[in-house]
Amino acid sequence: MSGIFSLVFLFFVAMSAVTTSQGSVGVCNGRFGNNLPSEQETVDLYKANGIKRMRLYAPSQKTLEALKGSNIELILDVPNVDLQSLQSDATSWVQTNVRPYFPATRIRYIAVGNEVDPDKETSRYVKLVHPAMESIYRALTVFNLQDQIKVSTATYSALLTADSFPPSKSAFKDTSFMGPIVGFLARTRAPLLVNIYPYFAYKSDTTNIQLPYALFTASQIVVQDNPYGYRNLFTAMVDGMYYAVEKAGGAGVEIVVSESGWPSAGGVAATVENGKTYYTNLISEVKKGTPKKPGKEVETYLFAMFDENTKGGEPSEQHFGVFFPDKQKKYQLNF
């Protein structure tokens, strides 16, 4: 009996090492730059600043190795371009990118695809996301890791219908795409990863969205939605996604904010002052939960660790870092 007890005890110790809360805020480790610190230096900077969660956008053997023993929890992405190769069997992917590192590297979620959208250039990946999620889940079960590492995808607010205001009216515009994904998440007890950007919502509609509402500085309720009052756009967007997930059959599915940030240059209202205000208030706000989910911390990943000088898109895309590439702090933040 003592031997059985010891095995059971060790199992629960191992499980607690994976599931223990690390606090609600992590930082995304984007690598689109030609002047960024090495992978080891980056991990060291996370540790030095008490950042206990990371999102990594593609398997990087150097980063996965550097994370060993760091106690930093990880979202590990499967890039969109890799989804086709994982439609039927992801065992090799798990053997290459998970098994050599876990649990010394604390992989918590695998994000299968990022911001795949039926109405955008990523539409060619729509039919690939859910099958790849199922494939990776099956591969994890081969090694009995399916309860320790959760499989999800990273989506964004653009997948909601145009009339998703107030939050309670939110719904997915393409349930044939998101319905099976939400069903998978409910069945496997995994969260939906969502990139939430009040900045882009404000930038696209400065007439109807006031800057204080986007920066968490509104002095009073801006949006009243049945019993819930919203003073900031972030929590309204998070709750909108909760409503959409519930309508798609995922009443018990949690939301993890896999990206959120504010640029310091390159666009409308993109200043260091606004960036500091946004990140500082975001870190404080997520600890409180949302009007729909009060008291429940919103696990959130700031975007991003560094300014990325080779990232494409609008100029602001290169200025979301909370650190400069020389590892100096852009803002004084308490992670």
Side-chain angles (χ1 to χ4, degrees):
M1 289 296 291
S2 62
I4 294 175
F5 174 80
S6 297
L7 288 173
V8 172
F9 175 77
L10 287 172
F11 170 79
F12 281 107
V13 168
M15 287 296 291
S16 67
V18 173
T19 59
T20 299
S21 175
Q22 293 276 82
S24 54
V25 174
V27 182
C28 300
N29 182 12
R31 304 295 296 178
F32 285 105
N34 58 20
N35 58 351
L36 300 180
S38 70
E39 291 84 348
Q40 183 64 60
E41 288 178 299
T42 299
V43 171
D44 290 343
L45 192 61
Y46 272 72
K47 292 192 290 186
N49 287 275
I51 304 170
K52 297 181 179 179
R53 284 178 172 156
M54 176 191 291
R55 180 179 177 187
L56 185 63
Y57 289 92
S60 160
Q61 311 309 317
K62 290 182 179 179
T63 299
L64 291 168
E65 191 69 36
L67 284 168
K68 284 184 174 179
S70 67
N71 207 34
I72 295 171
E73 293 181 344
L74 182 67
I75 298 177
L76 178 60
D77 276 37
V78 177
N80 294 342
V81 294
D82 293 343
L83 297 179
Q84 181 66 62
S85 66
L86 301 173
Q87 292 300 286
S88 59
D89 186 3
T91 306
S92 178
W93 190 94
V94 170
Q95 286 179 321
T96 300
N97 300 304
V98 176
R99 288 274 289 163
Y101 308 102
F102 184 85
T105 295
R106 298 184 65 183
I107 302 168
R108 191 174 187 203
Y109 307 122
I110 296 175
V112 183
N114 182 59
E115 295 188 353
V116 173
D117 188 334
D119 295 332
K120 299 289 178 65
E121 65 277 4
T122 54
S123 62
R124 63 186 181 275
Y125 301 116
V126 164
K127 294 182 179 180
L128 305 179
V129 177
H130 177 231
M133 293 171 69
E134 295 279 6
S135 181
I136 289 178
Y137 180 81
R138 288 194 301 271
L140 290 173
T141 64
V142 171
F143 305 106
N144 199 30
L145 296 176
Q146 73 276 9
D147 293 325
Q148 300 173 67
I149 302 173
K150 294 299 183 178
V151 179
S152 187
T153 187
T155 188
Y156 68 146
S157 301
L159 291 198
L160 302 180
T161 58
D163 62 346
S164 291
F165 176 85
S168 61
K169 291 185 64 178
S170 296
F172 291 116
K173 59 187 178 183
D174 189 342
T175 55
S176 66
F177 172 45
M178 288 303 298
I181 289 172
V182 171
F184 169 88
L185 299 175
R187 172 168 56 85
T188 62
R189 299 182 180 180
L192 179 62
L193 309 180
V194 185
N195 301 338
I196 298 285
Y197 281 97
Y199 173 74
F200 291 118
Y202 167 74
K203 178 176 175 290
S204 67
D205 190 3
T206 56
T207 300
N208 294 305
I209 299 175
Q210 301 300 306
L211 187 59
Y213 185 52
L215 290 175
F216 304 91
T217 57
S219 60
Q220 58 189 4
I221 291 173
V222 177
V223 173
Q224 189 69 44
D225 187 10
N226 296 320
Y228 305 130
Y230 293 90
R231 294 175 180 265
N232 66 79
L233 183 53
F234 175 85
T235 53
M237 294 174 76
V238 172
D239 277 354
M241 193 59 68
Y242 266 118
Y243 280 110
V245 168
E246 289 174 1
K247 291 171 187 175
V253 174
E254 295 186 9
I255 301 298
V256 169
V257 177
S258 43
E259 289 182 14
S260 192
W262 197 282
S264 59
V268 175
T271 67
V272 172
E273 181 180 359
N274 286 343
K276 178 182 178 181
T277 299
Y278 183 81
Y279 287 115
T280 300
N281 290 335
L282 175 65
I283 290 170
S284 175
E285 189 70 25
V286 297
K287 298 174 183 177
K288 305 173 188 176
T290 70
K292 184 171 168 59
K293 304 279 186 178
K296 180 177 177 53
E297 290 192 8
V298 183
E299 183 178 338
T300 299
Y301 293 75
L302 310 186
F303 187 86
M305 191 65 172
F306 303 111
D307 285 346
E308 299 174 82
N309 69 352
T310 64
K311 190 170 185 182
E314 298 180 6
S316 63
E317 292 283 356
Q318 299 186 4
H319 300 282
F320 275 86
V322 296
F323 287 84
F324 294 107
D326 64 1
K327 300 188 289 186
Q328 296 302 304
K329 295 178 180 179
K330 189 186 293 185
Y331 314 109
Q332 294 294 326
L333 301 175
N334 183 8
F335 300 99

